[in-house]
Amino acid sequence: MAQEFENQEPLKRSVKDHWYVEYSEQRFPSIQKGWVLPADRWREFDPFILMAEDWFKRGTFSDHPHRGFQTITYVIDGRLEHVDNGGGQDILHPGDVQYMNAGWAARHAEEGVEDDIAHTLQLWLNLPSHLRKTETKYQNVYLEDVPEVAIDGGSVKVYSGDIAGEKGPLESLVPITLSEISLTEGASYTHQLPENHNAFLYVLSGEVSVGENDPVNLKKHGVATLTYEENGDETKKSEIKLDAKSRRTKVLVYSGVPIKEEIVQHGPFVMGTMEEIKQTIQDFQLGKFGPSSQ
């Protein structure tokens, strides 16, 4: 695939829409929440459903179920403890990522450690209907195992997908790309993505100009969705230009192929119809999700 990319003229991407995350204070032990990707706009973000940014202490996300989708949790700060009812347990630190395929039935807890305030981004990634009965799976991706590519004035960490000549370790059931791009002031970088991937970016810190034609400036907490070729070829590349306007600029870029299926999201469940949601709730009440994780 990398060789094919080199022989093709790339499609230039630009910003389709952009906004800043609005935050609300929560009731303890949850501290603060913001919607990076609001759930009511999931059709625009397909295959992504929503992304939440949370600050929380232990007790906020204790034992709870999921079905019908995948999550990708990026730890910004603090420590995050994960426990599931399959016997999994681990503590994630800043820069670590956890992937979960809820599939048929997941039951787990995501907690701040001791007195830490965990600060995370959790992305919900859709599953096509034929994969909703797949087995539950968790994968922890530790910062030290993430390939890092040096570029002029910065670096690119490749968590998932084939990016900048590296393949990220995260392997989701629906393939995506996830990269963390760090740039110094004045640095310019052109990020490549498969042509048919719907993509968005989130500014973790600093300030960045996005796009070549009619560029958009975004500061910390800024979000941008990008143009793409909906009927494009996954073997063809596209480019989005990033110009850092301040020191310590850090941007996360996510991309994936749209699934193009209707969904119903209700609490911690994502299914195709409301009838399937009702069946899911009944299954949980009947104990079909297994014992508590805690």
Side-chain angles (χ1 to χ4, degrees):
M1 183 181 291
Q3 200 167 25
E4 290 178 3
F5 273 12
E6 289 174 8
N7 297 329
Q8 294 167 342
E9 185 64 28
L11 173 77
K12 303 291 185 185
R13 293 196 185 214
S14 57
V15 173
K16 182 166 58 176
D17 193 10
H18 65 283
W19 59 91
Y20 284 92
V21 181
E22 295 182 1
Y23 299 95
S24 60
E25 300 299 316
Q26 303 290 296
R27 182 176 297 177
F28 187 85
S30 181
I31 309 297
Q32 186 167 266
K33 176 181 284 290
W35 295 106
V36 177
L37 299 183
D40 60 356
R41 295 175 59 182
W42 66 265
R43 288 181 181 84
E44 298 172 53
F45 311 141
D46 187 15
F48 309 113
I49 300 169
L50 60 83
M51 187 156 85
E53 182 171 6
D54 292 286
W55 289 258
F56 58 95
K57 297 199 76 172
R58 194 168 193 85
T60 303
F61 298 115
S62 53
D63 179 70
H64 61 278
H66 289 294
R67 175 182 282 178
F69 66 105
Q70 306 158 91
T71 62
I72 296 168
T73 305
Y74 174 97
V75 181
I76 299 175
D77 198 12
R79 292 175 296 166
L80 177 70
E81 182 179 21
H82 163 261
V83 181
D84 63 69
N85 68 347
Q89 189 276 336
D90 206 352
I91 293 176
L92 304 178
H93 295 80
D96 293 343
V97 167
Q98 185 187 69
Y99 164 75
M100 175 188 73
N101 175 43
W104 156 250
R107 189 165 178 175
H108 71 166
E110 300 157 292
E111 302 275 26
V113 178
E114 297 174 347
D115 289 329
D116 281 19
I117 297 176
H119 180 194
T120 65
L121 290 166
Q122 185 168 98
L123 177 69
W124 287 21
L125 173 61
N126 198 10
L127 279 170
S129 55
H130 70 279
L131 293 178
R132 290 216 175 98
K133 292 186 178 179
T134 48
E135 290 298 315
T136 308
K137 177 187 175 184
Y138 298 92
Q139 181 191 4
N140 292 327
V141 177
Y142 305 107
L143 180 61
E144 59 268 27
D145 297 328
V146 177
E148 184 168 5
V149 180
I151 57 175
D152 287 343
S155 65
V156 180
K157 293 186 177 74
V158 184
Y159 285 90
S160 186
D162 295 298
I163 299 291
E166 293 284 353
K167 179 173 173 54
L170 191 155
E171 295 184 355
S172 57
L173 209 53
V174 175
I176 65 162
T177 78
L178 168 55
S179 305
E180 179 194 290
I181 301 164
S182 299
L183 298 169
T184 58
E185 186 173 5
S188 181
Y189 170 64
T190 300
H191 189 62
Q192 294 190 342
L193 296 167
E195 185 183 75
N196 67 336
H197 276 213
N198 196 5
F200 73 95
L201 60 83
Y202 181 57
V203 182
L204 283 171
S205 62
E207 181 178 0
V208 64
S209 174
V210 184
E212 230 169 316
N213 301 315
D214 196 22
V216 172
N217 267 36
L218 287 172
K219 296 181 180 180
K220 184 176 179 177
H221 306 308
V223 189
T225 55
L226 306 177
T227 58
Y228 73 106
E229 187 61 53
E230 188 173 349
N231 299 311
D233 187 337
E234 191 162 14
T235 65
K236 291 183 179 179
K237 65 182 176 179
S238 65
E239 296 181 341
I240 185 69
K241 191 168 183 285
L242 304 175
D243 293 302
K245 300 298 182 182
S246 70
R247 292 184 300 168
R248 299 175 186 168
T249 294
K250 187 180 290 186
V251 179
L252 291 174
V253 181
Y254 299 79
S255 79
V257 181
I259 294 170
K260 300 180 181 178
E261 291 182 0
E262 288 296 307
I263 62 169
V264 176
Q265 184 247 318
H266 182 81
F269 309 125
V270 176
M271 301 301 290
T273 66
M274 197 60 209
E275 285 305 308
E276 291 174 326
I277 291 288
K278 290 177 182 177
Q279 183 62 56
T280 298
I281 294 170
Q282 185 178 55
D283 287 346
F284 177 65
Q285 291 172 340
L286 290 173
K288 293 184 179 181
F289 281 61
S292 171
S293 61
Q294 295 178 308

